[in-house]
Amino acid sequence: PFFKEYLPYEVDKPVELLAKLNANENPYGPSPMAVDAFQKYAPKGNRYGWKEMFELVDKIAELEGVKTETIMMGPGSSDLLEKTAMVFFQNGGNIVSADPAYMSLIKVAEATGATWKPIKLKDDWSHDLPAMEAAIDADTKLVYICNPNNPTGSMTDHEELVDFCSRVSEKVPIFVDEAYLGFLDDAAKKSMVSLINEGKNVMIARTFSKIQGMAGLRVGYMVAQPETLAIIQKITRGGMGISLPSVHAAMASMDDIEFSNKTRKLNSECREYVYSVLDGMGYSYVPSSTSFIIFPIEMEGKAFLEKMTAEGVGVRAFNIMDKNWCRVSMGTMEEMKLFGAALQKVLA
Ligand code: PLP
């Protein structure tokens, strides 16, 4: 692999941060409608939420334009990523993905016995799809694509990805993680979900944690062919991990279009602000399609994290291709100003 992550500072030492910009959380959420629904249904917490889960699945199926049997719920998308890795790699094999990529599925695959075949992102930070295709061999059990990608925030061309998924899924199943898709203005058009109706062997993961601001309420889902879901359902019932109030919160959140529109707008204003700070400092950055920005820094990652934490600002640090990088999540504008000031002080 070409990249490694420095441990977030608070892992060693819990600290109270003025600006928590290290976990790509939505600073505005959950939607007030989701909070009301969660509170309203907390007293029903003595009951299992199966009926309500089916209602949520119906609602998601309608939104995505797919059949309900292609949807599987999970307590956040992490659970679905991890369980997929466990099922697909129980007899070994290899996984092909970009490098750097979001590591959750890949790490569980490796722990289960898989070999990771990392394929360097292209110079424009998009997936090198021809190189990924060339890396597929008889032992490849899954291709993982995170689009937009974490930790780079970059997008891969839509038409190229549709073509790749359509063709390559005939050989190997493809898992597309769309956690940050909701931050795009034209998210629905950029999703790979429509390939499900064409019968393609793709799996698409989505989460309520990001644009919906429900990271702590734990709701995610996956869209895939029913035969594929049946394999994963051998080891998990998925929705069993989601609390009844969270199911109601998710349904309410889906109705609160105003909230997600507001998040998208404020997120993009904060990105512009961070770009202007970095431009002013003469720093480069990877243009972001997400709720975080990554940029190279001239300081060793651990020292940088310590200094930023001392300023009350939590960020993440990576080493990518022998360079140090900071990844900062978009918080409120006030938090981004704290970040800007801390960055100028620390890197001065
Ligand atoms: N996928 C990506 C790319 C992420 O960045 C994250 C969280 O940061 C997740 C999945 C998992 O999120 P959750 O389990 O909250 O749905």
Side-chain angles (χ1 to χ4, degrees):
F2 299 97
F3 95 110
K4 82 165 206 219
E5 179 172 8
Y6 292 95
L7 268 191
Y9 192 64
E10 328 85 89
V11 172
D12 298 330
K13 190 175 167 192
V15 280
E16 205 56 58
L17 295 167
L18 300 172
K20 187 174 182 301
L21 308 172
N22 55 11
N24 300 342
E25 293 152 335
N26 183 331
Y28 316 105
S31 126
M33 279 164 67
V35 173
D36 283 351
F38 191 92
Q39 285 171 337
K40 183 171 164 206
Y41 287 96
K44 302 261 185 217
N46 59 321
R47 302 289 177 193
Y48 290 111
W50 288 121
K51 186 172 82 56
E52 294 77 3
M53 187 81 67
F54 285 123
E55 282 167 35
L56 174 59
V57 167
D58 284 344
K59 214 172 159 71
I60 292 171
E62 198 186 317
L63 178 81
E64 302 285 4
V66 295
K67 294 198 181 119
T68 52
E69 56 268 33
T70 64
I71 294 171
M72 177 174 167
M73 301 303 303
S77 59
S78 296
D79 198 60
L80 298 166
L81 268 70
E82 291 161 7
K83 298 272 170 57
T84 301
M86 287 177 202
V87 167
F88 274 78
F89 296 100
Q90 55 189 330
N91 300 316
N94 69 58
I95 177 165
V96 173
S97 90
D99 177 10
Y102 184 65
M103 292 305 292
S104 166
L105 189 154
I106 299 164
K107 282 200 169 137
V108 176
E110 287 187 307
T112 309
T115 310
W116 179 31
K117 283 191 154 186
I119 307 296
K120 203 162 135 307
L121 287 173
K122 293 200 292 191
D123 289 346
D124 66 358
W125 303 99
S126 65
H127 282 79
D128 191 340
L129 298 174
M132 292 178 77
E133 187 170 354
I136 294 168
D137 61 28
D139 288 330
T140 306
K141 300 280 168 63
L142 194 72
V143 174
Y144 172 75
I145 291 184
C146 184
N147 194 49
N149 191 36
N150 185 4
T152 53
S154 48
M155 280 290 283
T156 295
D157 180 77
H158 180 70
E159 270 75 40
E160 278 177 44
L161 190 55
V162 169
D163 171 67
F164 176 86
C165 290
S166 306
R167 283 185 309 100
V168 178
S169 63
E170 303 289 328
K171 292 185 266 187
V172 187
I174 302 179
F175 192 110
V176 187
D177 184 340
E178 297 186 340
Y180 296 96
L181 196 80
F183 290 96
L184 302 176
D185 291 327
D186 54 351
K189 285 195 201 142
K190 294 288 162 68
S191 174
M192 291 298 128
V193 162
S194 59
L195 293 174
I196 294 293
N197 292 335
E198 296 175 24
K200 303 292 180 193
N201 194 7
V202 290
M203 292 166 248
I204 296 108
R206 291 281 189 72
T207 179
F208 281 78
S209 299
K210 307 297 174 182
I211 188 81
Q212 310 278 5
M214 289 178 39
L217 299 184
R218 312 308 299 137
V219 184
Y221 62 95
M222 170 166 171
V223 191
Q225 299 304 338
E227 312 81 78
T228 309
L229 293 183
I231 302 171
I232 302 164
Q233 280 157 354
K234 281 187 193 157
I235 62 160
T236 178
R237 280 192 275 167
M240 193 68 179
I242 312 178
S243 79
L244 173 90
S246 290
V247 170
H248 283 282
M251 288 195 276
S253 187
M254 287 174 77
D255 290 335
D256 195 350
I257 302 297
E258 210 180 295
F259 173 79
S260 45
N261 286 344
K262 182 186 97 173
T263 294
R264 199 174 298 109
K265 178 169 171 287
L266 295 175
N267 181 69
S268 125
E269 286 171 13
C270 285
R271 276 192 319 221
E272 291 304 320
Y273 172 76
V274 173
Y275 294 157
S276 74
V277 169
L278 295 172
D279 284 338
M281 293 171 71
Y283 274 72
S284 64
Y285 46 83
V286 180
S288 166
S289 300
T290 60
S291 57
F292 56 88
I293 297 173
I294 192 166
F295 57 95
I297 49 172
E298 297 290 332
M299 189 179 286
E300 191 266 334
K302 193 168 177 347
F304 175 71
L305 288 181
E306 271 171 22
K307 288 190 166 52
M308 289 298 280
T309 306
E311 299 299 316
V313 177
V315 291
R316 297 284 268 266
F318 295 85
N319 188 294
I320 304 175
M321 283 164 249
D322 287 332
K323 264 204 222 171
N324 288 295
W325 298 74
C326 168
R327 190 197 73 185
V328 59
S329 308
M330 297 306 104
T332 60
M333 188 57 91
E334 201 183 328
E335 289 173 316
M336 299 330 289
K337 290 193 170 154
L338 285 172
F339 161 77
L343 192 73
Q344 271 155 345
K345 188 169 164 194
V346 166
L347 294 180

